[in-house]
Amino acid sequence: MIQQLREELVGLHQELIRWGLVIWTAGNVSARVPGEDLFVIKPSGVSYDALTPESMVVCDLDGNLVEGDLSPSSDTAAHAYVYKHMADVGGVVHTHSTYATAWAARGEPIPCVLTMMADEFGGEIPIGPFALIGDDSIGRGIVETLEGHRSKAVLMKSHGPFTIGKSAKAAVKAAVMLEDVARTVHIAQQAGPVEPVDKTSVDRLYDRYQNVYGQ
């Protein structure tokens, strides 16, 4: 299973490039190892073009390196904290995608003014607290903000977006959708105020998309 996740993560990091969510070596995707207190994550400072299954590293839920020859991502402590405290999360993504990060720089949640936001996130995209890289402070902020919230995304103030999902692929999808709505709502606001979708409609849209939509 770990080898399968290593291979999957190489492809998912390429998706971040494909959708324009990262530059240089910034950003990361991780995946929980089912049935174990472990997760697989991108190594620190390695070019996306140089990523291979063998370069991915395995860590425990305290962020300690368990398997691999390279140093884990600088965001490993945040990912570890999320996995340790949100048992239903199977994947975590961090990017500095332009529009989502611009909202984070303003410290402003993205209002739920689009049906696709209601579908994917169940409401607004919340703002998490300012926190520095280096320990689990970012992870604590993610968990505290998303607990009891339907959103799969949080904008960490003055930092950028983190997304979660039942799998790493689902978390990447949330990151792609987040950047799209962040851009669209920003553009809409240039012409004047935008009106949030009413809560009853948001609830209906979210339930349909999560439980009926698709195959």
Side-chain angles (χ1 to χ4, degrees), residues 1-11 31-34 36 40 52-58 67:
M1 175 56 74
I2 288 178
Q3 182 60 26
Q4 180 180 333
L5 290 175
R6 286 173 179 266
E7 294 170 1
E8 180 183 359
L9 286 182
V10 173
R32 185 194 293 271
V33 179
E36 300 188 48
V40 184
T52 65
E54 293 69 32
S55 65
M56 298 297 169
V57 296
V58 181
E67 182 181 316

Side-chain angles (χ1 to χ4, degrees), residues 19-171:
W19 294 101
L21 305 185
V22 294
I23 60 169
W24 204 239
T25 63
N28 38 71
V29 184
S30 69
R32 185 194 293 271
V33 179
E36 300 188 48
D37 291 335
L38 300 170
F39 65 99
V40 184
I41 192 168
K42 173 182 175 286
S44 178
V46 176
S47 167
Y48 282 81
D49 291 340
L51 290 178
T52 65
E54 293 69 32
S55 65
M56 298 297 169
V57 296
V58 181
C59 296
D60 63 23
L61 299 194
D62 291 316
N64 300 310
L65 180 65
V66 172
E67 182 181 316
D69 299 323
L70 302 173
S71 298
S73 164
S74 58
D75 293 300
T76 294
H79 289 243
Y81 192 92
V82 171
Y83 289 125
K84 194 170 188 177
H85 294 86
M86 302 182 80
D88 59 335
V89 171
V92 178
V93 173
H94 173 50
T95 77
H96 296 155
S97 60
T98 302
Y99 283 87
T101 302
W103 286 88
R106 291 196 297 266
E108 185 179 349
I110 306 174
C112 185
V113 299
L114 301 167
T115 59
M116 69 181 294
M117 285 188 70
D119 289 344
E120 179 71 18
F121 301 105
E124 71 171 19
I125 309 298
I127 283 285
F130 176 77
L132 295 176
I133 296 174
D135 57 22
D136 62 9
S137 298
I138 292 173
R140 288 200 305 270
I142 295 169
V143 172
E144 290 166 5
T145 305
L146 292 184
E147 277 186 333
H149 204 295
R150 290 191 298 205
S151 177
K152 302 179 186 72
V154 56
L155 306 172
M156 295 300 288
K157 190 176 187 301
S158 299
H159 185 173
F162 283 79
T163 58
I164 59 174
K166 291 187 179 300
S167 66
K169 183 177 181 180

